[in-house]
Amino acid sequence: MKRLTLFLVCTFSTCFFGYSCFWDYDTIEMERIQFPDVIELISGKFLRHSPEFYQWRIKDRTLKLRKSPDSIALYDDLAVAYSKIGNDSKAIQIILKKDSIAPKNYKTYANLGTFYIHDGQFSKGLTYIDKAIAINPDAHFGREIYQRYLVEYVLSKMKNGKVVLPLSIDFSPSYERFPRYKSDNFYTFLTTKYSSKTGTLLKNNTLPKEELDKAIKGIMGMMKFGNYDSPILLEALGDLLMANGWKNGARQLASRAYFKASYHSKEPETKSLYKQKVAFAIYHQYTKKGGKRFTAQELEELLKQEIVEGNNFYQSIRNDEIQWIQLGKNPEKEFSKKYYQEPMIGERIQRTNTSVGMVESKYRENKPDDTITLKLLPKDTIFLKDNLANETEKTLVKKQETTDKNQTNIPIEIFFIIPIFIIILVYVIKVRRTKL
């Protein structure tokens, strides 16, 4: 009897605790420690200027250039201001004039390359990005290098002159493996580049951690100082965060990035494919041993709340800058006085009470079937000039009654316990009958 009981306990432990330990890794708090400012960038809650500010800067720098046409830095300010309001052709014109006055300048080439890329002139853009890298390869933590790689990656994905979203939709047949084993997302594109550049054969096609950290920082820099709403940047960020592995992965952050990228498109097929990427991202996320996990629906609800918070923060900055301009104050100086510290999303990280069983159920709903995935071809989407449709400014969808649902949901672990309990019960009854 003791042996059988021990055997059953060991079997039960293997099924239950072994299963739980498989999910036992990062908390969202740890994600915040490992990847600071990612949630703020995705939500838009970071320090940035308004269109009104850049209109003011255009007038200010134009007047100053008339008085001091040889002040090189003023050309950069003026050109960037035009680019920020969407007039990249004017920005190119201004920065080319600067180049004629002071050639072979790093800032000139870096800005000019970015303006050409934003204007859809990729080849010219890459030419000037290369010139900037040649002068200062380590500037902005090497951001230009990853900007170049991202443009190359996007070009490799273009179909009929357009970018198709999502850029990467291919999953391994088992749907359980790391994204780094695939050959078509931004992370694996970087591994190919790294191997070619260094002549190194990467083990398991895995980038060195320091290289991956640089790539993440580069994409975050492009989001912060360029277009944080870009679905291309968001998807690339998600791919890089996913590549950190099971124990160090930022699955909840990657899910947010994929969800935000999906808001760019109104096509149901495109949204469905991004949801599949989210399902893959959070399938192996876990809070802590014995803890709870987020479903995709819960994470999206949190994201929408975070975006509203980001929009409100940005609107307060915009209101301030409009008021300063109307009062005849210098918005640059006033901005520096008031906004000297980057904000954070929320006072504390929100937690979930969702059972493992519900997460399993939701995962099965979103997990793609191979035959369906092949049919869900995303629509052609033009990159760069598009603006993200800000669905989050509308009234938030009514919160789901997740607590009530959790109480009525049957945890998946019960299916392991019931058979074992029956076996024990049958054996005990049999032993008693034998004694009688």
Side-chain angles (χ1 to χ4, degrees):
M1 178 65 181
K2 289 182 178 179
R3 289 184 179 179
L4 179 59
T5 304
L6 180 61
F7 169 76
L8 292 174
V9 170
C10 289
T11 304
F12 175 78
S13 299
T14 302
C15 293
F16 183 73
F17 293 108
Y19 181 83
S20 295
C21 289
F22 182 75
W23 304 99
D24 182 18
Y25 73 94
D26 60 358
T27 65
I28 195 168
E29 290 93 337
M30 182 59 68
E31 292 179 345
R32 285 293 294 270
I33 293 172
Q34 292 176 336
F35 307 101
D37 305 327
V38 171
I39 291 181
E40 284 73 22
L41 279 175
I42 293 173
S43 67
K45 190 175 182 180
F46 62 93
L47 297 178
R48 52 199 168 100
H49 292 299
S50 64
E52 290 78 10
F53 171 89
Y54 288 112
Q55 292 285 4
W56 172 88
R57 179 172 274 181
I58 287 171
K59 294 178 181 179
D60 180 78
R61 297 304 191 264
T62 300
L63 289 173
K64 288 179 178 178
L65 273 172
R66 288 175 183 171
K67 297 178 181 179
S68 306
D70 294 330
S71 298
I72 304 301
L74 295 176
Y75 288 96
D76 290 301
D77 288 350
L78 182 59
V80 169
Y82 271 111
S83 180
K84 287 290 187 179
I85 64 171
N87 194 344
D88 288 294
S89 59
K90 183 68 174 179
I92 292 169
Q93 178 185 340
I94 292 167
I95 213 73
L96 284 174
K97 183 176 181 180
K98 177 200 171 188
D99 188 44
S100 66
I101 298 171
K104 298 181 180 181
N105 180 278
Y106 161 75
K107 287 185 179 179
T108 299
Y109 294 149
N111 283 334
L112 192 53
T114 300
F115 299 152
Y116 274 123
I117 291 170
H118 287 179
D119 200 48
Q121 301 184 56
F122 299 110
S123 297
K124 281 189 176 181
L126 290 179
T127 298
Y128 283 101
I129 292 296
D130 286 341
K131 289 183 177 182
I133 292 172
I135 295 173
N136 194 349
D138 297 322
H140 298 137
F141 306 100
R143 193 169 70 218
E144 277 79 27
I145 294 174
Y146 296 101
Q147 184 181 22
R148 186 187 214 295
Y149 288 158
L150 185 61
V151 172
E152 288 182 33
Y153 174 64
V154 170
L155 288 173
S156 73
K157 293 293 182 179
M158 290 184 72
K159 297 177 181 178
N160 300 321
K162 294 182 179 180
V163 174
V164 178
L165 297 175
L167 295 172
S168 172
I169 60 174
D170 189 22
F171 297 95
S172 62
S174 66
Y175 199 60
E176 305 285 341
R177 305 175 72 182
F178 285 116
R180 64 175 177 236
Y181 285 97
K182 301 311 298 173
S183 59
D184 72 334
N185 64 19
F186 184 55
Y187 176 78
T188 52
F189 181 86
L190 289 184
T191 62
T192 302
K193 285 291 180 182
Y194 183 84
S195 294
S196 176
K197 180 180 177 181
T198 62
T200 305
L201 183 62
L202 296 174
K203 184 179 180 181
N204 293 329
N205 205 25
T206 304
L207 280 177
K209 185 181 183 303
E210 60 272 16
E211 188 69 21
L212 178 58
D213 290 344
K214 288 180 182 178
I216 291 174
K217 188 176 290 187
I219 294 297
M220 289 175 64
M222 283 180 252
M223 291 176 66
K224 185 168 186 178
F225 301 107
N227 179 10
Y228 80 101
D229 271 343
S230 165
I232 302 299
L233 291 173
L234 286 162
E235 184 179 336
L237 178 63
D239 290 346
L240 295 178
L241 291 171
M242 280 288 292
N244 278 272
W246 302 129
K247 293 185 178 180
N248 298 319
R251 301 307 176 94
Q252 295 165 352
L253 298 178
S255 298
R256 282 170 165 83
Y258 291 145
F259 266 130
K260 184 78 178 289
S262 75
Y263 299 159
H264 173 81
S265 176
K266 295 181 180 180
E267 297 294 340
E269 297 92 340
T270 301
K271 289 182 176 293
S272 177
L273 288 166
Y274 272 119
K275 284 183 179 179
Q276 291 174 17
K277 290 176 74 70
V278 170
F280 180 76
I282 65 171
Y283 185 60
H284 292 282
Q285 56 92 26
Y286 207 41
T287 51
K288 59 182 179 179
K289 188 172 182 178
K292 304 294 183 179
R293 287 181 281 159
F294 287 94
T295 64
Q297 289 76 10
E298 288 173 327
L299 274 178
E300 184 171 22
E301 185 178 344
L302 285 176
L303 172 62
K304 287 184 177 181
Q305 293 173 11
E306 291 157 2
I307 291 175
V308 168
E309 187 177 332
N311 288 343
N312 291 338
F313 176 76
Y314 167 71
Q315 190 59 48
S316 67
I317 293 178
R318 186 178 183 185
N319 292 339
D320 282 339
E321 291 184 332
I322 290 172
Q323 185 178 32
W324 292 330
I325 292 168
Q326 290 176 343
L327 293 174
K329 296 182 178 181
N330 185 320
E332 291 175 331
K333 292 181 179 179
E334 298 301 324
F335 184 93
S336 297
K337 289 179 186 177
K338 183 170 183 177
Y339 298 102
Y340 57 89
Q341 187 175 2
E342 289 284 359
M344 289 183 66
I345 281 289
E347 295 180 359
R348 62 185 178 86
I349 299 299
Q350 299 188 51
R351 299 178 183 276
T352 178
N353 292 316
T354 302
S355 68
V356 175
M358 176 174 281
V359 176
E360 290 290 332
S361 174
K362 293 297 182 182
Y363 167 72
R364 284 191 290 270
E365 289 179 12
N366 290 303
K367 178 180 176 181
D369 177 83
D370 290 338
T371 57
I372 296 176
T373 304
L374 293 175
K375 294 178 182 178
L376 290 177
L377 296 177
K379 302 295 182 181
D380 285 349
T381 305
I382 299 176
F383 176 46
L384 296 173
K385 290 294 183 181
D386 291 351
N387 290 321
L388 179 66
N390 196 348
E391 299 177 357
T392 56
E393 289 184 355
K394 302 176 183 178
T395 305
L396 281 173
V397 179
K398 188 178 180 181
K399 289 187 176 182
Q400 300 176 352
E401 299 294 333
T402 54
T403 304
D404 293 338
K405 289 183 179 180
N406 292 344
Q407 291 174 351
T408 58
N409 187 68
I410 300 175
I412 195 169
E413 292 89 341
I414 196 71
F415 296 107
F416 291 101
I417 298 172
I418 291 174
I420 295 170
F421 178 80
I422 292 172
I423 292 172
I424 295 173
L425 183 61
V426 170
Y427 183 84
V428 170
I429 293 171
K430 186 177 179 180
V431 169
R432 286 186 177 180
R433 284 182 178 178
T434 303
K435 289 181 178 180
L436 292 174

